[in-house]
Amino acid sequence: MLRRLLRRPSLFALLTTTALAACGSGDKAADSAKAADSAAAAAAAATPAPPPPPPALTDANILAKLDGDNAADSSAGALAASMGTAAGIKEYGRMMMKDHHALRVEGMALAKKASITPALPAGDADAAQEAAVADSMKATPKGAAWDKFYIDHMVTGHEKVLAFAQEAANNAQNADLKAMIQKATPTIQKHLDQAKALQSKLATP
């Protein structure tokens, strides 16, 4: 009997120690989980939300951007016809004047017929960029450097316009506008192909 009594405190102490250890482990696990949750919340708060997608282009936006592109390419073509040195650049410039003027007239007629007032999307920077390019063309002296600057811009510009034409055709609501874009796309592709061919010739010594 005495031995049993002597053993009980040891057993009680063992059980108490085990319970305390388990409790401590549980507290540590809970603290770790809380810390992880806090860290995740802080990371989520620190990560900026992705910007909302731009609004879909309206027919007024499409007509305004197409008119701006056609006006810029026609004006640049006039510069190439007068400031270009290589015969191919001069001829290409004259083609730009003719084709893009015709495309611009067609777009303006459609806008009038459909009673659409062209309006650029909010924050659109195309006009400012084209103006800067035009200023650079006027400031660059005639010669091989001018020809290269011009045709390089025609390549990148027509690649951009082709991509926009695809987007515009997908977003256009007016059936005549959609048809006009689809009709003009092969002409833009032809301009791009010819610009690349001239670019390659100018790069060959």
Side-chain angles (χ1 to χ4, degrees):
M1 185 69 172
L2 181 59
R3 290 178 181 177
R4 290 179 183 175
L5 292 174
L6 289 173
R7 288 175 182 170
R8 284 181 182 174
S10 300
L11 178 60
F12 177 76
L14 177 61
L15 292 173
T16 302
T17 302
T18 302
L20 289 173
C23 184
S25 298
D27 290 343
K28 288 180 181 178
D31 290 343
S32 298
K34 287 181 181 179
D37 290 343
S38 298
T47 302
L57 291 169
T58 66
D59 288 353
N61 296 155
I62 293 169
L63 281 166
K65 286 179 70 66
L66 289 176
D67 185 67
D69 288 337
N70 286 323
D73 282 346
S74 182
S75 296
L79 284 175
S82 62
M83 296 185 67
T85 300
I89 294 294
K90 287 181 172 293
E91 182 180 353
Y92 186 86
R94 287 190 288 269
M95 181 178 68
M96 290 295 99
M97 289 174 61
K98 175 178 173 291
D99 289 356
H100 283 283
H101 177 71
L103 290 173
R104 190 179 188 199
V105 169
E106 186 177 358
M108 293 171 70
L110 190 152
K112 183 178 180 180
K113 176 184 175 184
S115 298
I116 299 172
T117 302
L120 288 171
D124 189 83
D126 281 358
Q129 292 172 356
E130 290 294 347
V133 170
D135 289 342
S136 296
M137 286 184 186
K138 293 172 184 176
T140 302
K142 291 179 65 172
W146 194 98
D147 288 359
K148 184 176 187 310
F149 180 86
Y150 170 73
I151 208 62
D152 286 350
H153 177 63
M154 288 297 100
V155 170
T156 57
H158 281 86
E159 287 174 341
K160 180 180 176 182
V161 171
L162 270 180
F164 174 72
Q166 180 62 53
E167 180 187 3
N170 291 335
N171 283 279
Q173 299 299 307
N174 183 283
D176 290 337
L177 175 57
K178 188 185 291 285
M180 184 187 75
I181 296 167
Q182 292 170 342
K183 176 186 173 185
T185 299
T187 299
I188 300 169
Q189 182 66 61
K190 180 187 75 173
H191 292 169
L192 174 59
D193 293 342
Q194 293 187 6
K196 285 182 175 180
L198 284 168
Q199 186 184 52
S200 177
K201 287 181 181 179
L202 292 179
T204 303

